[in-house]
Amino acid sequence: MERSAFDDENDIVNVDTIEDLRVNEGAANEAARAWSAWLACHASTEVAGDAILQAFFEEASNMQSLFDIPMAAQAGKLVAALTELVGCMQNKDGLKRSLSVLGYMHMSINVPVGAVLIFRDAILSCMRKDLGSNLTETALHSIGRLVIYVGGAIICIRTICEKRNALLISSWKESHSVEEDETGDQQEDEQADEANADKKAAAAASKGDVDEAEFVDDSEFIDSEKFEEEQRSNCSGGQAKGVDGSVALPTTFNEMFQINAAVMGFQRAGTSWMVDVLEVLDALVSYITDTKRRQEETCLLALRLCSHEKEEMVFSQFKACLLAALRSTLPKTWTGEHEEAWSWLWDNLVYTVDSAMRKIPTYSENLSHVLGSISAKRLFKLRKDIYSRFFQLASAGQNFFKQSNTRLHFIADRVLELCQEFFQDPTGMISTLSSLGFRHVGFGIPTELFNPFITACTQVMQRYTDNKEAQQAFQWSLILTGSVLVRTIKEGSTVVMKAINMNSAKALQKAVTLAPRGQRATWLLHVQIGDQFISPLMWAIDSGSLKTAEAILNDLLTIRADRHRYYFGSDELFQRHPDFVRRLADKAPDMLPILLDGLVWRSNRTVKNGTKRRVNYFVKNLMLDAKGKFSDALKSIASTGNPKYIVHPVVTLMVATIWNGLIRRQFAVSRLWNVVSLVIYISSQEVVPGMIEENPESKNMKWVLVGVRIACYTFGIGRLGAVQLHKAWIWSRNTFRKILAEIDTDGNGEIDYDEFKEAVITFKETVSTEVKKALKLIEVDEMELFAQEKAAAANKQGKLYNRISFSVMLLLSIMLAQDPLFVCSGADDWPTEKCEEVDAALMYRYYLFGCLGMVVHYLMLIDLAVFNTEIAAFLLVVGSVMGEMTQFLTALTFLLLLFGSTTSIQCRACPTLGGSFNDMPNAVTTLFAITVGLYQGDYRDIQEDPVLLTCVFTFVTFSVVLLLNLLIAQLNRTYEYINQDMIGFAQLNRASLIVDAMESCPKTKWLRFCATLAFDERKEFDEGDMGLPGCIQQEEDPSENRIAHEMIKRYGGSTARSLPWPEAKASKRVDLDDEESRLEHIETVLQKTLRRMDRMESIAKRRHEGSSLGLSGVSGSSSISGSSVSSDDSAMSGGDDFF
């Protein structure tokens, strides 16, 4: 590279001190003119900066990794900084201010001294190349000295900042260490308790009282709910209270800051813009050594502060409150160095934030104007050009943008929208981008593709607008968006998420071996960045990585234990995902058995002389939600309609427990009214009228008839109507509560008038939609129809009962209107059923509806079969085969109509001895009587008419011989299929009844029932081994489930929660059902075979070398031959292993 002629002293970079730059006024002015002239030689500042960077990278390619933002943006920032420095050559204060900011922005970058000289030479070579003779030696010399001066100052500032940064971080942590101190004290107490427990265990073991490996200290068991409550109370704001309830003095940094703001008269600011600064300040100090994160937080702070009135923001007020709060929280350690460090940090932060805030309003206005003025046609071409340019810059991007063109255009549109939204709602944008970044974690998108994409978008935008401010705004917003996304992806790309992307259970197991035992479940359930989090387990399920999802679920539901505590991920699983069973039933129902199996612990030891085995069913989280209400887990399992899930021991126990302890009596009382109603109905329609017929003159019996019929209509219509209204009320209440929860937009838990009006309107629309769906007036989308079908399959019996009860109420209402006893209420001799208003037609209608009413009253008793599983299963089988009967009756109806209409045409004057075939109705009736065996005639009565006889024989062949036998075969096949799961279907029906009954179960009754289950009490695993709470313990026959090994994984050694579990030895057993396990086994065998082949080859080589040197005799040859044979045998042994 071409170098200018400099004195040796100018090549020395001063990195020890920052002195004044000695350049006279004439040289400074000449340097400024030369710089301006050089910039005029280029189309834009980005082009000029790109020329410098290219020249620099040619000589120092290893420095390219330090420039991690798009090159166009980097080039523009470089030229802007150099222009500012050249302009300040004669302004010492301005130059120092600029140097301080540059040092602050680059204090975490290690700049070598040699790189400063190379950078100086790159700038000067570019200027000499473009300006030629117009560049004077004075200007060249001055600019060179400026670059060396600035480079040395940046290196010097970095050295100083290393001490300042350490001081800032330590003092910030110390000022926020109230909670950490409490946690530390708790950990110290825990370690002390563990040490005491070890001593107790050793003493007990020496006496032979208890096995040390099974010792569990009750005091060390961690109640997860209590732990979570303590964490929430520790993190909550507000003033602390002492033991006596008095208000304690503020001790935390935030409390001290607010008090100082109030004392200084800044209370209003302390609750507005100062809150935004405090939130960002924590991230700034915590990541002060990360240049990119610091710049990102600075830009975000500037965007957030732009939403406040500029007049109310006085940064010196915040500085005063900040330093006062720090002094108050660090009274013993605060020194002048602290004061200097924090003042330096705040001054530089204010300078950078203030510079950004001056640009943001202009950026926002220009960018919105330009994007709003682009026509739809040009916008379509812009989106297309973005991808064309991106694929030119990074061809690897084509492997990830595999969606359709419409989806790609949607993504490009969303990019443009995000750039505008950053100026409007920066806080909301961080949440949006964090969520988007988490999705990219699951997609496995390389972060290296973001810079080319940003460059492509920026370059394309420059073609569509000449507005420089809009170009800079678009680039600035896009870089900030990319920075947040890249950071989210990097922080979210944990070893667990990488294993999920690979869908490898083996990689997942390796990943979680590094997790502390106290955080192992959290690693599998929670990855958080900012206010956004993603669940690796749910991401694996949603993305279809079911192998890793099963591995995660098995790991969470494996009980592990050391001497002091048990670790079981069930509670944390349902705390993180209260709706986990529902989501599993919807998206991966095949994983439900894995979940249910993991909630069962069976002892490998027997009790009661080997006749019983302890079993703990951890059903608490399946029965109770976080608020102590009845969980929807049973409803979700039943909604699958799969009888195999419902007969799982866990679900069977849960259903039996709730049914026997809570629902059976409630259900029996509700169904007892049906029996009473049936007795009253029989009395009113059969018993009492029969007694009146025997004694028609008895006035008392007629009044008894009036009484029983009034009771019949009252019990039937009134009670069933009340039941239907109660169900409607329950549905309305639950629906309205759900709407209110969704409408609560401000999130304060209270509903104002506007929110209530919106909720009422939404509720009316929901009711109207449900009514239309019930009446089939609107179409239902496929997903909702699928969900309804699943729910219908689970609640088939319940829906049948509802329809029957509604039919009873309807028939009784009709009978009340047609009842001759009440129609004749105006008669003089009432009560009577004979009067002028009552004719034969009315009596016929009343008796017809009375018969139907009797049928439906008896059908209502079918619901009582739920008390006996076998009877319920039989009824379900009967209901299941009704479909086959429908097909048979359809085919039979077709044959009846076909042959009935045919014979009626031919037999206008046929004899009636063999049946009436003269018209179609009589012909159909006669043929049906022949089919069901009620025909009283003989074929010889119609043999005089061969055509009629042929038709009848043909009909009988098809209907009786074919259809009836085919029906029998179909019923047999269907019964065989249904019979396998009929107990499951019966259990499914009972579960659905439980779910319906729990909607109207009083809260107090439910709480009393839960108290009897004692979920908070720890249950024994084995004798003397107090285990985990949240379970129901039972005993089973050991022959039902063979358990050869302990289901709890127990570990010795240290019991610290911060340590990972010891690595378990790899199992040599090959799972033939797992493809990954089989491939791993083949790979292992091949590697062993190759190693043996290598050993054979080395032996043969040594034998060959020995014989060629004449060092082996006959015996030696025999020895080598023997070795060869031995090796061959070894190889064959390896081959046997392989096969």
Side-chain angles (χ1 to χ4, degrees):
M1 180 182 294
E2 187 179 359
R3 296 280 302 272
S4 58
F6 286 103
D7 296 333
D8 292 341
E9 63 205 24
N10 294 323
D11 288 340
I12 300 175
V13 181
N14 184 7
V15 298
D16 299 324
T17 58
I18 303 176
E19 301 177 351
D20 293 338
L21 177 65
R22 296 183 178 86
V23 178
N24 58 52
E25 184 177 355
N29 293 333
E30 195 166 345
R33 286 194 295 272
W35 181 257
S36 300
W38 181 71
L39 290 179
C41 296
H42 298 84
S44 64
T45 56
E46 287 80 4
V47 176
D50 187 66
I52 295 175
L53 291 175
Q54 293 300 330
F56 176 63
F57 293 148
E58 287 178 4
E59 295 296 325
S61 59
N62 60 327
M63 300 295 293
Q64 195 166 355
S65 61
L66 298 178
F67 298 83
D68 54 358
I69 65 173
M71 196 57 65
Q74 187 65 58
K77 292 175 64 177
L78 172 64
V79 172
L82 289 173
T83 303
E84 182 180 357
L85 291 170
V86 170
C88 295
M89 289 179 68
Q90 282 299 302
N91 184 357
K92 295 181 180 180
D93 294 335
L95 185 60
K96 286 185 177 181
R97 176 72 267 173
S98 298
L99 285 177
S100 178
V101 173
L102 282 175
Y104 167 75
M105 298 302 294
H106 297 83
M107 61 182 173
S108 59
I109 300 177
N110 186 13
V111 181
V113 175
V116 176
L117 298 175
I118 296 175
F119 191 71
R120 184 270 317 266
D121 295 341
I123 295 175
L124 298 182
S125 64
C126 291
M127 294 183 67
R128 174 165 291 180
K129 177 181 177 182
D130 295 331
L131 296 179
S133 58
N134 294 328
L135 179 63
T136 64
E137 290 297 325
T138 303
L140 198 68
H141 181 79
S142 300
I143 292 176
R145 290 191 62 189
L146 174 66
V147 174
I148 291 179
Y149 172 75
V150 173
I154 290 176
I155 297 174
C156 181
I157 291 174
R158 182 178 184 276
T159 305
I160 298 173
C161 287
E162 288 180 354
K163 299 179 181 179
R164 284 179 177 172
N165 291 343
L167 201 63
L168 290 170
I169 294 174
S170 62
S171 59
W172 184 256
K173 287 183 178 180
E174 188 178 353
S175 65
H176 290 72
S177 61
V178 175
E179 293 85 359
E180 294 178 3
D181 289 344
E182 294 176 356
T183 305
D185 294 341
Q186 183 180 358
Q187 291 178 351
E188 291 178 2
D189 294 340
E190 179 181 324
Q191 293 175 357
D193 292 340
E194 289 178 1
N196 293 333
D198 288 338
K199 293 178 181 179
K200 293 178 182 178
S206 64
K207 295 178 181 180
D209 294 336
V210 66
D211 185 3
E212 182 183 4
E214 297 180 352
F215 177 78
V216 178
D217 185 6
D218 293 353
S219 64
E220 285 300 318
F221 179 76
I222 302 297
D223 186 349
S224 59
E225 295 182 359
K226 183 178 179 181
F227 177 75
E228 293 288 340
E229 183 65 29
E230 291 176 355
Q231 291 296 102
R232 286 194 293 269
S233 63
N234 289 338
C235 297
S236 60
Q239 292 179 325
K241 291 186 177 182
V243 178
D244 57 351
S246 60
V247 178
L249 293 176
T251 56
T252 65
F253 174 82
N254 288 337
E255 292 172 352
M256 293 303 302
F257 183 92
Q258 294 297 336
I259 285 182
N260 281 286
V263 170
M264 296 180 186
F266 311 142
Q267 188 170 6
R268 180 179 177 184
T271 57
S272 58
W273 67 272
M274 287 187 179
V275 176
D276 291 339
V277 180
L278 276 176
E279 291 179 3
V280 176
L281 188 63
D282 181 66
L284 276 171
V285 178
S286 302
Y287 297 97
I288 195 169
T289 57
D290 187 345
T291 299
K292 197 167 185 178
R293 180 65 183 274
R294 192 173 60 252
Q295 292 175 353
E296 175 190 319
E297 295 295 340
T298 302
C299 294
L300 293 174
L301 177 59
L303 285 167
R304 294 177 67 172
L305 292 180
C306 282
S307 62
H308 298 280
E309 294 294 335
K310 190 173 182 180
E311 291 76 13
E312 71 177 8
M313 289 185 294
V314 181
F315 292 118
S316 59
Q317 296 177 356
F318 185 91
K319 181 180 180 180
C321 296
L322 172 67
L323 295 177
L326 288 169
R327 294 189 199 102
S328 302
T329 52
L330 306 173
K332 297 180 180 180
T333 58
W334 186 262
T335 63
E337 293 181 353
H338 288 83
E339 191 92 17
E340 181 183 358
W342 280 99
S343 298
W344 168 83
L345 172 65
W346 177 251
D347 292 343
N348 283 286
L349 178 62
V350 168
Y351 183 85
T352 52
V353 168
D354 190 57
S355 300
M357 288 178 63
R358 288 196 296 269
K359 300 176 183 177
I360 287 174
T362 306
Y363 279 175
S364 178
E365 181 180 354
N366 283 273
L367 183 60
S368 299
H369 173 73
V370 168
L371 293 180
S373 62
I374 300 177
S375 63
K377 186 175 181 180
R378 293 189 70 213
L379 189 61
F380 178 84
K381 191 173 184 303
L382 182 146
R383 297 192 298 259
K384 185 177 179 181
D385 291 345
I386 286 176
Y387 288 106
S388 299
R389 181 57 181 155
F390 171 60
F391 294 147
Q392 291 176 3
L393 294 174
S395 58
Q398 300 180 68
N399 298 326
F400 295 93
F401 286 87
K402 298 178 289 187
Q403 298 88 347
S404 62
N405 284 330
T406 55
R407 174 65 179 173
L408 294 180
H409 279 267
F410 170 79
I411 294 174
D413 265 336
R414 189 66 185 130
V415 169
L416 300 179
E417 292 173 1
L418 290 176
C419 290
Q420 295 183 81
E421 291 175 9
F422 235 135
F423 294 103
Q424 300 165 3
D425 184 17
T427 305
M429 272 296 298
I430 293 300
S431 298
T432 301
L433 292 177
S434 297
S435 177
L436 183 62
F438 273 131
R439 290 200 294 272
H440 282 73
V441 170
F443 298 149
I445 304 294
T447 56
E448 293 79 10
L449 294 178
F450 279 87
N451 276 349
F453 187 80
I454 293 173
T455 302
C457 293
T458 304
Q459 292 177 355
V460 171
M461 180 60 70
Q462 290 174 354
R463 301 180 203 163
Y464 284 81
T465 180
D466 295 330
N467 189 327
K468 296 295 182 183
E469 293 290 342
Q471 292 177 5
Q472 293 176 6
F474 183 71
Q475 185 184 69
W476 185 82
S477 179
L478 200 57
I479 291 174
L480 184 57
T481 302
S483 175
V484 176
L485 282 174
V486 170
R487 173 175 58 83
T488 304
I489 293 172
K490 288 183 177 179
E491 293 180 4
S493 297
T494 62
V495 288
V496 174
M497 291 300 296
K498 291 178 180 178
I500 292 173
N501 293 334
M502 296 167 57
N503 195 19
S504 171
K506 182 179 179 181
L508 179 77
Q509 291 169 359
K510 290 182 178 179
V512 296
T513 55
L514 305 174
R517 59 187 67 180
Q519 295 292 321
R520 188 178 180 112
T522 305
W523 278 35
L524 298 172
L525 294 172
H526 191 83
V527 177
Q528 183 160 358
I529 300 175
D531 61 346
Q532 295 291 319
F533 76 91
I534 190 174
S535 169
L537 173 59
M538 292 313 305
W539 179 264
I541 294 174
D542 294 339
S543 62
S545 301
L546 297 184
K547 286 186 179 179
T548 51
E550 291 179 8
I552 291 174
L553 198 54
N554 284 323
D555 192 272
L556 286 170
L557 300 180
T558 298
I559 303 178
R560 296 177 176 85
D562 51 31
R563 295 187 305 276
H564 290 153
R565 62 183 64 84
Y566 286 96
Y567 295 84
F568 187 41
S570 172
D571 286 345
E572 188 162 356
L573 170 63
F574 284 95
Q575 286 171 7
R576 301 285 185 186
H577 305 292
D579 58 345
F580 180 69
V581 177
R582 178 183 61 80
R583 297 173 72 174
L584 207 61
D586 290 340
K587 298 181 179 180
D590 291 341
M591 290 182 60
L592 278 174
I594 299 175
L595 170 66
L596 298 175
D597 289 341
L599 297 177
V600 181
W601 171 84
R602 290 185 170 90
S603 176
N604 64 329
R605 302 185 179 118
T606 58
V607 295
K608 297 182 179 179
N609 297 324
T611 60
K612 294 294 180 180
R613 171 190 287 121
R614 278 197 179 101
V615 185
N616 289 3
Y617 296 94
F618 294 90
V619 296
K620 175 185 177 181
N621 294 306
L622 296 181
M623 295 176 63
L624 297 170
D625 61 11
K627 297 181 180 179
K629 299 180 180 178
F630 180 65
S631 173
D632 63 349
L634 183 60
K635 180 180 180 181
S636 301
I637 296 173
S639 68
T640 62
N642 193 326
K644 291 182 173 60
Y645 300 154
I646 210 73
V647 296
H648 191 279
V650 171
V651 184
T652 301
L653 173 71
M654 183 168 59
V655 170
T657 302
I658 300 176
W659 174 259
N660 296 327
L662 189 66
I663 302 300
R664 182 170 59 181
R665 183 176 179 181
Q666 175 183 337
F667 184 82
V669 170
S670 65
R671 295 307 186 262
L672 183 62
W673 285 107
N674 294 337
V675 179
V676 174
S677 180
L678 176 62
V679 172
I680 295 174
Y681 187 84
I682 294 175
S683 300
S684 67
Q685 299 297 322
E686 182 63 30
V687 177
V688 177
M691 297 173 67
I692 292 176
E693 288 181 359
E694 294 177 358
N695 188 7
E697 302 301 328
S698 176
K699 200 75 172 178
N700 293 332
M701 292 307 301
K702 292 181 179 180
W703 281 110
V704 171
L705 180 62
V706 172
V708 293
R709 288 200 176 174
I710 291 176
C712 175
Y713 297 135
T714 302
F715 277 108
I717 300 174
R719 187 185 65 84
L720 294 177
V723 170
Q724 298 296 332
L725 289 175
H726 180 68
K727 291 182 178 180
W729 157 250
I730 294 295
W731 179 86
S732 301
R733 182 190 63 185
N734 295 339
T735 303
F736 199 71
R737 284 177 177 176
K738 183 186 294 185
I739 292 174
L740 289 176
E742 295 174 353
I743 289 296
D744 187 16
T745 53
D746 50 16
N748 59 1
E750 298 178 357
I751 303 297
D752 54 29
Y753 181 70
D754 293 334
E755 292 175 339
F756 182 77
K757 285 199 305 182
E758 185 179 355
V760 171
I761 294 172
T762 305
F763 178 73
K764 289 181 179 179
E765 294 175 352
T766 303
V767 172
S768 176
T769 302
E770 293 298 326
V771 171
K772 290 178 180 178
K773 287 180 183 178
L775 299 177
K776 307 295 183 182
L777 297 179
I778 60 173
E779 294 185 358
V780 183
D781 57 38
E782 294 183 1
M783 292 302 295
E784 188 173 353
L785 184 61
F786 176 69
Q788 291 178 0
E789 289 177 353
K790 287 173 58 179
N795 201 19
K796 186 176 180 180
Q797 194 76 13
K799 285 193 171 183
L800 178 62
Y801 175 80
N802 291 335
R803 291 169 182 169
I804 293 175
S805 62
F806 183 79
S807 301
V808 170
M809 185 176 65
L810 184 62
L811 286 171
L812 289 176
S813 300
I814 297 174
M815 290 176 64
L816 177 61
Q818 300 287 324
D819 195 331
L821 188 65
F822 296 107
V823 171
C824 296
S825 59
D828 296 335
D829 56 344
W830 194 82
T832 181
E833 293 183 345
K834 298 178 181 180
C835 60
E836 295 180 357
E837 291 82 0
V838 176
D839 54 9
L842 187 143
M843 293 297 294
Y844 177 79
R845 290 195 301 270
Y846 179 74
Y847 291 146
L848 176 63
F849 287 119
C851 293
L852 295 176
M854 186 68 72
V855 172
V856 293
H857 268 86
Y858 272 102
L859 289 177
M860 289 182 67
L861 299 183
I862 293 178
D863 212 31
L864 296 174
V866 73
F867 288 99
N868 188 286
T869 306
E870 287 73 16
I871 297 177
F874 173 75
L875 291 177
L876 287 170
V877 171
V878 173
S880 300
V881 300
M882 290 304 294
E884 310 298 336
M885 288 293 299
T886 303
Q887 296 176 9
F888 167 76
L889 292 176
T890 302
L892 181 61
T893 302
F894 174 77
L895 290 178
L896 289 172
L897 294 175
L898 171 63
F899 285 94
S901 59
T902 302
T903 56
S904 63
I905 296 174
Q906 195 271 337
C907 284
R908 292 297 182 185
C910 290
T912 59
L913 293 176
S916 178
F917 295 95
N918 294 330
D919 53 24
M920 184 176 175
N922 287 322
V924 170
T925 303
T926 302
L927 291 174
F928 183 73
I930 293 173
T931 304
V932 297
L934 297 177
Y935 181 65
Q936 299 297 324
D938 190 84
Y939 75 94
R940 285 169 292 197
D941 296 332
I942 57 175
Q943 66 181 355
E944 297 177 359
D945 192 337
V947 176
L948 177 60
L949 185 63
T950 303
C951 289
V952 172
F953 280 171
T954 305
F955 171 78
V956 171
T957 301
F958 279 103
S959 63
V960 178
V961 178
L962 177 62
L963 289 184
L964 282 177
N965 286 283
L966 184 60
L967 173 63
I968 294 171
Q970 286 181 317
L971 291 178
N972 183 47
R973 185 64 181 269
T974 303
Y975 179 79
E976 289 179 358
Y977 174 76
I978 298 296
N979 184 60
Q980 299 174 2
D981 298 318
M982 65 178 184
I983 300 298
F985 282 113
Q987 192 84 338
L988 200 63
N989 178 39
R990 179 176 288 186
S992 301
L993 291 175
I994 290 174
V995 172
D996 289 341
M998 286 306 301
E999 291 183 354
S1000 57
C1001 180
K1003 183 179 179 181
T1004 54
K1005 186 176 181 181
W1006 169 248
L1007 293 177
R1008 285 198 305 269
F1009 169 71
C1010 293
T1012 61
L1013 300 178
F1015 280 134
D1016 295 333
E1017 295 181 7
R1018 298 167 61 185
K1019 306 294 193 303
E1020 283 187 337
F1021 282 135
D1022 286 316
E1023 188 176 0
D1025 182 8
M1026 294 304 296
L1028 295 166
C1031 64
I1032 296 176
Q1033 188 174 86
Q1034 289 194 338
E1035 294 179 349
E1036 68 176 14
D1037 190 339
S1039 60
E1040 293 181 6
N1041 298 279
R1042 301 286 183 180
I1043 304 295
H1045 304 284
E1046 170 66 89
M1047 295 182 67
I1048 301 174
K1049 294 186 177 180
R1050 301 184 181 272
Y1051 299 88
S1054 175
T1055 61
R1057 295 169 60 90
S1058 58
L1059 294 178
W1061 293 109
E1063 248 184 285
K1065 294 182 179 179
S1067 175
K1068 295 183 179 181
R1069 187 178 62 87
V1070 180
D1071 186 1
L1072 298 179
D1073 295 329
D1074 185 14
E1075 181 180 358
E1076 187 176 357
S1077 178
R1078 294 199 307 269
L1079 291 175
E1080 182 181 353
H1081 175 65
I1082 293 174
E1083 181 182 357
T1084 302
V1085 173
L1086 287 175
Q1087 289 176 351
K1088 292 167 100 177
T1089 304
L1090 289 174
R1091 285 197 297 268
R1092 287 169 179 161
M1093 291 177 66
D1094 290 339
R1095 287 199 300 270
M1096 289 171 57
E1097 185 178 353
S1098 62
I1099 292 172
K1101 186 176 180 180
R1102 288 198 300 270
R1103 182 183 62 181
H1104 177 70
E1105 291 176 352
S1107 61
S1108 63
L1109 294 174
L1111 297 178
S1112 61
V1114 176
S1115 61
S1117 177
S1118 300
S1119 175
I1120 294 175
S1121 178
S1123 299
S1124 177
V1125 171
S1126 176
S1127 299
D1128 289 343
D1129 292 341
S1130 178
M1132 290 302 294
S1133 174
D1136 291 340
D1137 288 343
F1138 175 77
F1139 288 107

